[in-house]
Amino acid sequence: MIDDLLQKKPIPDDVILAADAHWMRLALAQAQQAAALGEVPVGAVAVLNGEIIGTGFNRKETDLDPMAHAEMIALRASATAVQNWRLIGVTLYCTLEPCPMCAGAMIQARLPRLVYGARDTRFGADGSVVDVLRAPEFNHRVAITSGVLEEEAAVLLQQFFQELREKRGKT
Ligand SMILES: [Zn+2]
């Protein structure tokens, strides 16, 4: 691996996938923090040069803030960390397909790459509901990898809503 890097050989696809899964696991851990607060479990982790520069989890209920999505919080933390609203070289890992607001923020931040897990048929802005991220009219294009640890992210959400329904059923 290090020899490959020194010789500037392209990094094999399976190595890239392993790295994506690694960071996605940390995004899932963020989502679990949201669940612990009774929030819809969505998490995000921003990575630059192999280091986390920003994290976030959904805090809409806790903060009474419609904009407190995991991605927004992670993007803001990243901009503070690099002292630049342009997130050059940053990859954002999200457990769920971003909504139109977060997708818009990614374009505003000139985010180079997004990796996400499960699709969101209610709010997804990577084609599930609307296609914000691939709109050719924008002068910035985010490279997208989807479906990374999709199952884990979806199960987390399903469990959350299942428990919510059970709680509501009891009262
Ligand atoms: Zn969002």
Side-chain angles (χ1 to χ4, degrees):
M1 177 74 191
I2 285 169
D3 284 346
D4 285 351
L5 288 174
L6 289 175
Q7 291 167 29
K8 298 230 189 269
K9 279 188 199 160
I11 301 167
D13 283 351
D14 56 338
V15 175
I16 293 173
L17 285 175
D20 282 347
H22 167 75
W23 299 117
M24 188 60 81
R25 268 190 203 98
L26 297 175
L28 284 163
Q30 289 290 314
Q32 266 154 352
Q33 289 196 55
L37 287 177
E39 302 269 3
V40 175
V42 180
V45 164
V47 176
L48 175 64
N49 299 329
E51 275 182 49
I52 292 178
I53 59 163
T55 61
F57 55 85
N58 177 33
R59 307 178 45 95
K60 258 167 79 174
E61 305 288 345
T62 307
D63 293 353
L64 302 177
D65 180 356
M67 287 166 280
H69 289 192
E71 301 94 317
M72 299 292 278
I73 294 165
L75 287 171
R76 193 173 281 138
S78 304
T80 301
V82 298
Q83 288 291 291
N84 194 342
W85 60 263
R86 277 189 202 85
L87 298 181
I88 299 159
V90 174
T91 298
L92 188 67
Y93 293 85
C94 309
T95 57
L96 189 64
E97 179 181 356
C99 75
M101 170 181 71
C102 295
M106 288 169 201
I107 293 166
Q108 293 292 346
R110 311 292 187 270
L111 183 78
R113 184 170 181 242
L114 163 70
V115 180
Y116 71 84
R119 289 215 160 254
D120 184 356
T121 53
R122 289 175 66 222
F123 290 106
D126 181 38
S128 290
V129 179
V130 287
D131 210 337
V132 172
L133 286 167
R134 294 174 204 265
E137 293 83 0
F138 290 127
N139 67 352
H140 177 77
R141 185 58 71 95
V142 180
I144 301 166
T145 305
S146 61
V148 175
L149 303 190
E150 185 176 6
E151 281 275 314
E152 284 89 331
V155 164
L156 206 59
L157 285 160
Q158 282 157 13
Q159 277 172 349
F160 176 81
F161 286 113
Q162 175 77 34
E163 280 167 26
L164 201 66
R165 275 193 296 272
E166 281 165 14
K167 268 184 218 156
R168 279 186 185 156
K170 277 175 197 159
T171 53

Short mmCIF file of all heavy atoms in Angstrom, two decimals, residues 55-122:
data_model
loop_
_atom_site.label_atom_id
_atom_site.label_comp_id
_atom_site.label_asym_id
_atom_site.label_seq_id
_atom_site.Cartn_x
_atom_site.Cartn_y
_atom_site.Cartn_z
N THR A 55 -17.88 16.77 12.38
CA THR A 55 -18.88 15.71 12.54
C THR A 55 -20.23 16.37 12.81
O THR A 55 -20.30 17.55 13.18
CB THR A 55 -18.55 14.79 13.74
OG1 THR A 55 -18.55 15.58 14.93
CG2 THR A 55 -17.21 14.10 13.57
N GLY A 56 -21.28 15.61 12.63
CA GLY A 56 -22.60 16.14 12.95
C GLY A 56 -23.62 15.03 13.03
O GLY A 56 -23.45 13.98 12.42
N PHE A 57 -24.63 15.25 13.85
CA PHE A 57 -25.78 14.35 13.83
C PHE A 57 -27.04 15.21 13.95
O PHE A 57 -26.98 16.35 14.42
CB PHE A 57 -25.70 13.29 14.93
CG PHE A 57 -25.52 13.81 16.32
CD1 PHE A 57 -26.61 14.21 17.08
CD2 PHE A 57 -24.25 13.91 16.87
CE1 PHE A 57 -26.43 14.68 18.37
CE2 PHE A 57 -24.06 14.38 18.16
CZ PHE A 57 -25.17 14.78 18.92
N ASN A 58 -28.12 14.64 13.47
CA ASN A 58 -29.39 15.36 13.44
C ASN A 58 -29.77 15.84 14.84
O ASN A 58 -29.81 15.05 15.77
CB ASN A 58 -30.46 14.42 12.87
CG ASN A 58 -31.82 15.05 12.86
OD1 ASN A 58 -31.95 16.27 12.68
ND2 ASN A 58 -32.84 14.26 13.06
N ARG A 59 -30.06 17.14 14.98
CA ARG A 59 -30.42 17.73 16.27
C ARG A 59 -31.64 18.63 16.14
O ARG A 59 -31.78 19.60 16.92
CB ARG A 59 -29.26 18.58 16.81
CG ARG A 59 -27.92 17.92 16.88
CD ARG A 59 -26.86 18.90 17.38
NE ARG A 59 -27.32 19.65 18.52
CZ ARG A 59 -27.07 19.32 19.79
NH1 ARG A 59 -26.35 18.26 20.07
NH2 ARG A 59 -27.53 20.06 20.77
N LYS A 60 -32.46 18.36 15.15
CA LYS A 60 -33.60 19.24 14.89
C LYS A 60 -34.48 19.46 16.11
O LYS A 60 -34.85 20.59 16.42
CB LYS A 60 -34.46 18.62 13.78
CG LYS A 60 -34.25 19.26 12.43
CD LYS A 60 -34.87 18.43 11.33
CE LYS A 60 -36.36 18.63 11.24
NZ LYS A 60 -36.91 17.91 10.06
N GLU A 61 -34.83 18.37 16.78
CA GLU A 61 -35.73 18.47 17.95
C GLU A 61 -35.02 19.13 19.11
O GLU A 61 -35.57 20.01 19.77
CB GLU A 61 -36.21 17.07 18.37
CG GLU A 61 -36.86 16.27 17.27
CD GLU A 61 -38.26 16.78 16.92
OE1 GLU A 61 -38.83 17.58 17.69
OE2 GLU A 61 -38.77 16.41 15.84
N THR A 62 -33.79 18.72 19.35
CA THR A 62 -33.02 19.23 20.49
C THR A 62 -32.79 20.74 20.36
O THR A 62 -32.94 21.48 21.33
CB THR A 62 -31.66 18.50 20.57
OG1 THR A 62 -31.91 17.10 20.57
CG2 THR A 62 -30.88 18.88 21.81
N ASP A 63 -32.43 21.17 19.16
CA ASP A 63 -32.11 22.58 18.95
C ASP A 63 -33.31 23.41 18.48
O ASP A 63 -33.19 24.62 18.32
CB ASP A 63 -30.99 22.71 17.91
CG ASP A 63 -29.67 22.15 18.40
OD1 ASP A 63 -29.60 21.79 19.59
OD2 ASP A 63 -28.72 22.08 17.61
N LEU A 64 -34.44 22.74 18.26
CA LEU A 64 -35.62 23.42 17.68
C LEU A 64 -35.20 24.21 16.44
O LEU A 64 -35.50 25.39 16.28
CB LEU A 64 -36.27 24.35 18.72
CG LEU A 64 -36.74 23.67 20.01
CD1 LEU A 64 -37.28 24.69 20.98
CD2 LEU A 64 -37.79 22.60 19.72
N ASP A 65 -34.47 23.52 15.58
CA ASP A 65 -33.87 24.18 14.42
C ASP A 65 -34.08 23.33 13.17
O ASP A 65 -33.54 22.23 13.07
CB ASP A 65 -32.37 24.37 14.69
CG ASP A 65 -31.65 25.07 13.55
OD1 ASP A 65 -32.28 25.34 12.51
OD2 ASP A 65 -30.44 25.31 13.70
N PRO A 66 -34.90 23.82 12.23
CA PRO A 66 -35.14 23.04 11.02
C PRO A 66 -33.89 22.82 10.17
O PRO A 66 -33.88 21.98 9.27
CB PRO A 66 -36.18 23.87 10.25
CG PRO A 66 -36.04 25.25 10.79
CD PRO A 66 -35.59 25.11 12.21
N MET A 67 -32.85 23.60 10.45
CA MET A 67 -31.61 23.47 9.67
C MET A 67 -30.56 22.61 10.36
O MET A 67 -29.47 22.42 9.81
CB MET A 67 -31.05 24.85 9.37
CG MET A 67 -31.88 25.57 8.33
SD MET A 67 -31.52 27.33 8.25
CE MET A 67 -32.44 27.94 9.63
N ALA A 68 -30.86 22.08 11.53
CA ALA A 68 -29.85 21.33 12.30
C ALA A 68 -29.72 19.89 11.81
O ALA A 68 -29.78 18.94 12.60
CB ALA A 68 -30.17 21.39 13.78
N HIS A 69 -29.56 19.73 10.52
CA HIS A 69 -29.31 18.40 9.95
C HIS A 69 -27.84 18.03 10.15
O HIS A 69 -26.98 18.91 10.20
CB HIS A 69 -29.61 18.40 8.44
CG HIS A 69 -31.07 18.47 8.12
ND1 HIS A 69 -31.57 18.23 6.86
CD2 HIS A 69 -32.14 18.75 8.91
CE1 HIS A 69 -32.89 18.37 6.90
NE2 HIS A 69 -33.26 18.70 8.11
N ALA A 70 -27.60 16.73 10.20
CA ALA A 70 -26.24 16.22 10.41
C ALA A 70 -25.24 16.84 9.43
O ALA A 70 -24.14 17.27 9.83
CB ALA A 70 -26.26 14.70 10.23
N GLU A 71 -25.64 16.91 8.17
CA GLU A 71 -24.73 17.39 7.13
C GLU A 71 -24.39 18.86 7.31
O GLU A 71 -23.24 19.27 7.15
CB GLU A 71 -25.35 17.21 5.74
CG GLU A 71 -25.71 15.77 5.39
CD GLU A 71 -27.16 15.44 5.74
OE1 GLU A 71 -27.64 15.83 6.83
OE2 GLU A 71 -27.80 14.76 4.92
N MET A 72 -25.40 19.67 7.65
CA MET A 72 -25.19 21.10 7.84
C MET A 72 -24.20 21.35 8.99
O MET A 72 -23.31 22.19 8.90
CB MET A 72 -26.51 21.81 8.16
CG MET A 72 -27.57 21.70 7.09
SD MET A 72 -27.17 22.59 5.57
CE MET A 72 -27.68 24.24 6.03
N ILE A 73 -24.40 20.59 10.06
CA ILE A 73 -23.54 20.75 11.25
C ILE A 73 -22.10 20.34 10.90
O ILE A 73 -21.15 21.04 11.25
CB ILE A 73 -24.10 19.92 12.43
CG1 ILE A 73 -25.46 20.51 12.85
CG2 ILE A 73 -23.13 19.90 13.60
CD1 ILE A 73 -26.30 19.61 13.74
N ALA A 74 -21.96 19.24 10.17
CA ALA A 74 -20.62 18.77 9.78
C ALA A 74 -19.95 19.74 8.80
O ALA A 74 -18.75 20.00 8.89
CB ALA A 74 -20.70 17.37 9.18
N LEU A 75 -20.72 20.29 7.87
CA LEU A 75 -20.16 21.24 6.90
C LEU A 75 -19.69 22.51 7.61
O LEU A 75 -18.60 23.03 7.34
CB LEU A 75 -21.20 21.61 5.83
CG LEU A 75 -21.55 20.54 4.79
CD1 LEU A 75 -22.75 20.99 3.95
CD2 LEU A 75 -20.36 20.22 3.90
N ARG A 76 -20.52 22.97 8.54
CA ARG A 76 -20.16 24.20 9.27
C ARG A 76 -18.90 23.98 10.11
O ARG A 76 -18.00 24.83 10.12
CB ARG A 76 -21.34 24.63 10.14
CG ARG A 76 -21.20 26.04 10.67
CD ARG A 76 -22.47 26.47 11.39
NE ARG A 76 -23.52 26.87 10.48
CZ ARG A 76 -24.81 26.54 10.61
NH1 ARG A 76 -25.19 25.79 11.61
NH2 ARG A 76 -25.70 26.97 9.75
N ALA A 77 -18.85 22.85 10.79
CA ALA A 77 -17.67 22.53 11.61
C ALA A 77 -16.42 22.43 10.74
O ALA A 77 -15.33 22.89 11.13
CB ALA A 77 -17.90 21.22 12.36
N SER A 78 -16.58 21.87 9.54
CA SER A 78 -15.43 21.72 8.63
C SER A 78 -14.92 23.07 8.16
O SER A 78 -13.70 23.30 8.11
CB SER A 78 -15.83 20.89 7.41
OG SER A 78 -16.35 19.67 7.81
N ALA A 79 -15.85 23.98 7.82
CA ALA A 79 -15.45 25.31 7.36
C ALA A 79 -14.70 26.05 8.45
O ALA A 79 -13.70 26.73 8.20
CB ALA A 79 -16.68 26.10 6.91
N THR A 80 -15.16 25.87 9.68
CA THR A 80 -14.46 26.49 10.81
C THR A 80 -13.06 25.87 10.96
O THR A 80 -12.08 26.59 11.16
CB THR A 80 -15.27 26.29 12.11
OG1 THR A 80 -16.55 26.87 11.92
CG2 THR A 80 -14.59 26.94 13.30
N ALA A 81 -12.99 24.55 10.81
CA ALA A 81 -11.71 23.85 10.99
C ALA A 81 -10.67 24.30 9.95
O ALA A 81 -9.50 24.49 10.28
CB ALA A 81 -11.92 22.34 10.91
N VAL A 82 -11.09 24.46 8.71
CA VAL A 82 -10.13 24.84 7.66
C VAL A 82 -10.09 26.35 7.44
O VAL A 82 -9.32 26.84 6.63
CB VAL A 82 -10.42 24.12 6.31
CG1 VAL A 82 -10.29 22.62 6.45
CG2 VAL A 82 -11.78 24.49 5.73
N GLN A 83 -10.96 27.06 8.19
CA GLN A 83 -11.03 28.52 8.06
C GLN A 83 -11.27 28.95 6.62
O GLN A 83 -10.60 29.84 6.07
CB GLN A 83 -9.75 29.18 8.62
CG GLN A 83 -9.67 29.12 10.13
CD GLN A 83 -10.72 30.02 10.79
OE1 GLN A 83 -10.64 31.24 10.71
NE2 GLN A 83 -11.73 29.42 11.40
N ASN A 84 -12.21 28.26 5.98
CA ASN A 84 -12.55 28.55 4.59
C ASN A 84 -13.93 27.98 4.31
O ASN A 84 -14.20 26.83 4.66
CB ASN A 84 -11.50 27.88 3.67
CG ASN A 84 -11.56 28.39 2.24
OD1 ASN A 84 -12.56 28.98 1.81
ND2 ASN A 84 -10.50 28.15 1.50
N TRP A 85 -14.81 28.76 3.70
CA TRP A 85 -16.12 28.21 3.34
C TRP A 85 -16.01 27.24 2.18
O TRP A 85 -16.88 26.40 1.97
CB TRP A 85 -17.13 29.32 3.03
CG TRP A 85 -16.76 30.22 1.89
CD1 TRP A 85 -16.14 31.44 1.98
CD2 TRP A 85 -16.96 29.98 0.49
NE1 TRP A 85 -15.95 31.97 0.73
CE2 TRP A 85 -16.45 31.11 -0.21
CE3 TRP A 85 -17.53 28.93 -0.25
CZ2 TRP A 85 -16.48 31.20 -1.60
CZ3 TRP A 85 -17.55 29.03 -1.64
CH2 TRP A 85 -17.05 30.16 -2.30
N ARG A 86 -14.94 27.33 1.42
CA ARG A 86 -14.69 26.36 0.34
C ARG A 86 -14.04 25.13 0.93
O ARG A 86 -12.91 25.22 1.44
CB ARG A 86 -13.73 26.95 -0.70
CG ARG A 86 -14.35 27.82 -1.73
CD ARG A 86 -13.32 28.14 -2.82
NE ARG A 86 -13.70 29.35 -3.52
CZ ARG A 86 -13.39 30.57 -3.12
NH1 ARG A 86 -12.67 30.76 -2.03
NH2 ARG A 86 -13.80 31.61 -3.80
N LEU A 87 -14.70 24.01 0.82
CA LEU A 87 -14.18 22.80 1.47
C LEU A 87 -13.34 22.00 0.48
O LEU A 87 -13.69 20.89 0.07
CB LEU A 87 -15.34 21.99 2.05
CG LEU A 87 -16.13 22.73 3.13
CD1 LEU A 87 -17.23 21.86 3.67
CD2 LEU A 87 -15.23 23.21 4.26
N ILE A 88 -12.20 22.58 0.13
CA ILE A 88 -11.30 21.98 -0.86
C ILE A 88 -10.75 20.66 -0.32
O ILE A 88 -10.24 20.61 0.80
CB ILE A 88 -10.14 22.96 -1.18
CG1 ILE A 88 -10.73 24.25 -1.76
CG2 ILE A 88 -9.13 22.33 -2.14
CD1 ILE A 88 -9.79 25.45 -1.65
N GLY A 89 -10.89 19.60 -1.12
CA GLY A 89 -10.31 18.30 -0.75
C GLY A 89 -11.09 17.51 0.27
O GLY A 89 -10.65 16.45 0.71
N VAL A 90 -12.27 18.02 0.67
CA VAL A 90 -13.02 17.35 1.73
C VAL A 90 -13.99 16.32 1.15
O VAL A 90 -14.61 16.55 0.11
CB VAL A 90 -13.81 18.40 2.56
CG1 VAL A 90 -14.71 17.72 3.59
CG2 VAL A 90 -12.84 19.37 3.24
N THR A 91 -14.11 15.18 1.81
CA THR A 91 -15.16 14.20 1.49
C THR A 91 -16.13 14.16 2.67
O THR A 91 -15.70 14.07 3.82
CB THR A 91 -14.56 12.80 1.27
OG1 THR A 91 -13.67 12.85 0.15
CG2 THR A 91 -15.65 11.77 0.97
N LEU A 92 -17.40 14.26 2.35
CA LEU A 92 -18.43 14.19 3.40
C LEU A 92 -19.11 12.83 3.34
O LEU A 92 -19.59 12.41 2.28
CB LEU A 92 -19.46 15.31 3.22
CG LEU A 92 -20.48 15.46 4.35
CD1 LEU A 92 -19.80 15.93 5.63
CD2 LEU A 92 -21.59 16.42 3.95
N TYR A 93 -19.13 12.14 4.48
CA TYR A 93 -19.79 10.84 4.60
C TYR A 93 -21.09 11.04 5.36
O TYR A 93 -21.07 11.55 6.48
CB TYR A 93 -18.89 9.85 5.36
CG TYR A 93 -17.65 9.48 4.58
CD1 TYR A 93 -16.52 10.29 4.64
CD2 TYR A 93 -17.64 8.37 3.76
CE1 TYR A 93 -15.39 9.97 3.88
CE2 TYR A 93 -16.52 8.04 3.01
CZ TYR A 93 -15.41 8.85 3.08
OH TYR A 93 -14.30 8.54 2.33
N CYS A 94 -22.21 10.65 4.74
CA CYS A 94 -23.52 10.81 5.36
C CYS A 94 -24.22 9.46 5.36
O CYS A 94 -24.12 8.72 4.38
CB CYS A 94 -24.40 11.78 4.59
SG CYS A 94 -23.61 13.34 4.23
N THR A 95 -24.95 9.18 6.41
CA THR A 95 -25.63 7.89 6.47
C THR A 95 -26.83 7.84 5.54
O THR A 95 -27.27 6.78 5.13
CB THR A 95 -26.09 7.58 7.91
OG1 THR A 95 -26.92 8.65 8.38
CG2 THR A 95 -24.88 7.45 8.83
N LEU A 96 -27.38 9.03 5.20
CA LEU A 96 -28.60 9.09 4.39
C LEU A 96 -28.41 10.06 3.23
O LEU A 96 -27.67 11.05 3.34
CB LEU A 96 -29.75 9.58 5.30
CG LEU A 96 -31.17 9.54 4.74
CD1 LEU A 96 -31.61 8.10 4.47
CD2 LEU A 96 -32.13 10.21 5.71
N GLU A 97 -29.08 9.77 2.14
CA GLU A 97 -29.09 10.68 0.98
C GLU A 97 -29.50 12.08 1.46
O GLU A 97 -30.50 12.23 2.15
CB GLU A 97 -30.12 10.16 -0.03
CG GLU A 97 -30.25 11.03 -1.28
CD GLU A 97 -31.32 10.46 -2.23
OE1 GLU A 97 -31.88 9.39 -1.95
OE2 GLU A 97 -31.58 11.11 -3.26
N PRO A 98 -28.75 13.10 1.11
CA PRO A 98 -29.05 14.43 1.64
C PRO A 98 -30.35 15.02 1.08
O PRO A 98 -30.77 14.69 -0.03
CB PRO A 98 -27.85 15.29 1.22
CG PRO A 98 -27.13 14.50 0.21
CD PRO A 98 -27.51 13.07 0.35
N CYS A 99 -30.95 15.90 1.88
CA CYS A 99 -32.16 16.62 1.46
C CYS A 99 -31.74 17.80 0.56
O CYS A 99 -30.56 18.10 0.43
CB CYS A 99 -32.91 17.10 2.69
SG CYS A 99 -32.13 18.53 3.48
N PRO A 100 -32.72 18.50 -0.05
CA PRO A 100 -32.36 19.63 -0.93
C PRO A 100 -31.55 20.72 -0.22
O PRO A 100 -30.65 21.31 -0.83
CB PRO A 100 -33.73 20.16 -1.39
CG PRO A 100 -34.63 18.96 -1.31
CD PRO A 100 -34.16 18.18 -0.12
N MET A 101 -31.87 21.00 1.05
CA MET A 101 -31.13 22.04 1.77
C MET A 101 -29.65 21.65 1.92
O MET A 101 -28.76 22.46 1.62
CB MET A 101 -31.74 22.24 3.17
CG MET A 101 -30.90 23.11 4.09
SD MET A 101 -31.63 23.30 5.73
CE MET A 101 -31.39 21.66 6.42
N CYS A 102 -29.41 20.43 2.35
CA CYS A 102 -28.03 19.99 2.58
C CYS A 102 -27.28 19.84 1.26
O CYS A 102 -26.10 20.18 1.17
CB CYS A 102 -28.01 18.69 3.36
SG CYS A 102 -28.66 18.89 5.04
N ALA A 103 -27.98 19.36 0.23
CA ALA A 103 -27.36 19.24 -1.09
C ALA A 103 -26.96 20.62 -1.59
O ALA A 103 -25.87 20.82 -2.14
CB ALA A 103 -28.33 18.57 -2.06
N GLY A 104 -27.83 21.61 -1.37
CA GLY A 104 -27.53 22.99 -1.75
C GLY A 104 -26.31 23.51 -1.00
O GLY A 104 -25.44 24.16 -1.59
N ALA A 105 -26.24 23.20 0.27
CA ALA A 105 -25.09 23.64 1.08
C ALA A 105 -23.80 22.99 0.58
O ALA A 105 -22.74 23.62 0.58
CB ALA A 105 -25.32 23.29 2.55
N MET A 106 -23.88 21.76 0.12
CA MET A 106 -22.69 21.06 -0.41
C MET A 106 -22.18 21.75 -1.67
O MET A 106 -20.98 21.89 -1.88
CB MET A 106 -23.02 19.59 -0.71
CG MET A 106 -23.21 18.77 0.55
SD MET A 106 -23.89 17.14 0.20
CE MET A 106 -24.55 16.74 1.83
N ILE A 107 -23.13 22.18 -2.51
CA ILE A 107 -22.73 22.90 -3.73
C ILE A 107 -22.14 24.26 -3.35
O ILE A 107 -21.11 24.66 -3.88
CB ILE A 107 -23.94 23.04 -4.69
CG1 ILE A 107 -24.34 21.66 -5.21
CG2 ILE A 107 -23.61 23.97 -5.85
CD1 ILE A 107 -25.69 21.61 -5.88
N GLN A 108 -22.79 24.94 -2.39
CA GLN A 108 -22.26 26.23 -1.93
C GLN A 108 -20.84 26.09 -1.39
O GLN A 108 -20.00 26.97 -1.58
CB GLN A 108 -23.15 26.82 -0.83
CG GLN A 108 -24.53 27.25 -1.29
CD GLN A 108 -24.51 28.44 -2.23
OE1 GLN A 108 -23.51 29.13 -2.35
NE2 GLN A 108 -25.62 28.67 -2.90
N ALA A 109 -20.58 24.97 -0.71
CA ALA A 109 -19.26 24.74 -0.11
C ALA A 109 -18.24 24.22 -1.12
O ALA A 109 -17.08 24.01 -0.78
CB ALA A 109 -19.40 23.75 1.05
N ARG A 110 -18.72 23.99 -2.37
CA ARG A 110 -17.87 23.41 -3.42
C ARG A 110 -17.28 22.08 -2.95
O ARG A 110 -16.11 21.76 -3.21
CB ARG A 110 -16.72 24.35 -3.83
CG ARG A 110 -17.12 25.78 -4.13
CD ARG A 110 -17.96 25.92 -5.40
NE ARG A 110 -18.18 27.31 -5.74
CZ ARG A 110 -19.20 28.05 -5.33
NH1 ARG A 110 -20.15 27.52 -4.55
NH2 ARG A 110 -19.31 29.32 -5.69
N LEU A 111 -18.11 21.33 -2.25
CA LEU A 111 -17.67 20.03 -1.74
C LEU A 111 -17.25 19.14 -2.91
O LEU A 111 -18.03 18.92 -3.83
CB LEU A 111 -18.82 19.36 -0.97
CG LEU A 111 -18.48 18.03 -0.32
CD1 LEU A 111 -17.67 18.25 0.95
CD2 LEU A 111 -19.75 17.24 -0.01
N PRO A 112 -16.03 18.58 -2.88
CA PRO A 112 -15.60 17.75 -4.01
C PRO A 112 -16.29 16.39 -4.06
O PRO A 112 -16.58 15.88 -5.13
CB PRO A 112 -14.10 17.55 -3.78
CG PRO A 112 -13.70 18.51 -2.73
CD PRO A 112 -14.93 18.81 -1.92
N ARG A 113 -16.53 15.79 -2.88
CA ARG A 113 -17.02 14.41 -2.91
C ARG A 113 -17.98 14.12 -1.75
O ARG A 113 -17.71 14.52 -0.61
CB ARG A 113 -15.84 13.43 -2.85
CG ARG A 113 -16.24 11.98 -2.96
CD ARG A 113 -15.04 11.06 -3.14
NE ARG A 113 -15.53 9.69 -3.27
CZ ARG A 113 -15.24 8.72 -2.41
NH1 ARG A 113 -14.43 8.93 -1.39
NH2 ARG A 113 -15.75 7.51 -2.58
N LEU A 114 -19.04 13.42 -2.09
CA LEU A 114 -20.03 12.99 -1.10
C LEU A 114 -20.15 11.47 -1.17
O LEU A 114 -20.23 10.90 -2.27
CB LEU A 114 -21.39 13.61 -1.44
CG LEU A 114 -22.63 12.98 -0.79
CD1 LEU A 114 -22.67 13.27 0.70
CD2 LEU A 114 -23.91 13.48 -1.46
N VAL A 115 -20.16 10.84 -0.01
CA VAL A 115 -20.41 9.40 0.08
C VAL A 115 -21.61 9.23 1.01
O VAL A 115 -21.60 9.77 2.12
CB VAL A 115 -19.19 8.64 0.65
CG1 VAL A 115 -19.48 7.13 0.74
CG2 VAL A 115 -17.95 8.88 -0.21
N TYR A 116 -22.65 8.56 0.55
CA TYR A 116 -23.78 8.34 1.47
C TYR A 116 -24.25 6.90 1.46
O TYR A 116 -23.87 6.12 0.58
CB TYR A 116 -24.91 9.34 1.20
CG TYR A 116 -25.70 9.16 -0.07
CD1 TYR A 116 -26.78 8.27 -0.12
CD2 TYR A 116 -25.41 9.89 -1.20
CE1 TYR A 116 -27.54 8.11 -1.27
CE2 TYR A 116 -26.15 9.74 -2.36
CZ TYR A 116 -27.21 8.85 -2.40
OH TYR A 116 -27.95 8.69 -3.53
N GLY A 117 -25.08 6.57 2.47
CA GLY A 117 -25.52 5.20 2.66
C GLY A 117 -26.87 4.94 2.02
O GLY A 117 -26.96 4.64 0.83
N ALA A 118 -27.93 5.10 2.82
CA ALA A 118 -29.27 4.75 2.36
C ALA A 118 -29.90 5.87 1.53
O ALA A 118 -29.56 7.04 1.68
CB ALA A 118 -30.16 4.45 3.58
N ARG A 119 -30.82 5.47 0.68
CA ARG A 119 -31.60 6.44 -0.09
C ARG A 119 -32.73 6.98 0.78
O ARG A 119 -33.19 6.31 1.69
CB ARG A 119 -32.18 5.79 -1.35
CG ARG A 119 -31.13 5.48 -2.37
CD ARG A 119 -31.70 5.68 -3.78
NE ARG A 119 -30.61 5.85 -4.72
CZ ARG A 119 -30.27 7.00 -5.27
NH1 ARG A 119 -30.94 8.10 -5.01
NH2 ARG A 119 -29.25 7.08 -6.09
N ASP A 120 -33.17 8.20 0.48
CA ASP A 120 -34.27 8.81 1.21
C ASP A 120 -35.40 9.11 0.24
O ASP A 120 -35.35 10.09 -0.51
CB ASP A 120 -33.80 10.09 1.91
CG ASP A 120 -34.89 10.71 2.77
OD1 ASP A 120 -36.02 10.18 2.76
OD2 ASP A 120 -34.61 11.69 3.46
N THR A 121 -36.42 8.26 0.27
CA THR A 121 -37.52 8.41 -0.69
C THR A 121 -38.42 9.59 -0.35
O THR A 121 -39.25 9.98 -1.16
CB THR A 121 -38.39 7.13 -0.73
OG1 THR A 121 -38.79 6.81 0.61
CG2 THR A 121 -37.60 5.97 -1.32
N ARG A 122 -38.25 10.17 0.85
CA ARG A 122 -39.10 11.30 1.24
C ARG A 122 -38.48 12.65 0.90
O ARG A 122 -39.16 13.60 0.56
CB ARG A 122 -39.41 11.23 2.73
CG ARG A 122 -40.37 10.10 3.09
CD ARG A 122 -40.55 10.00 4.58
NE ARG A 122 -41.22 11.17 5.13
CZ ARG A 122 -40.87 11.79 6.27
NH1 ARG A 122 -39.86 11.32 6.96
NH2 ARG A 122 -41.52 12.83 6.69
#
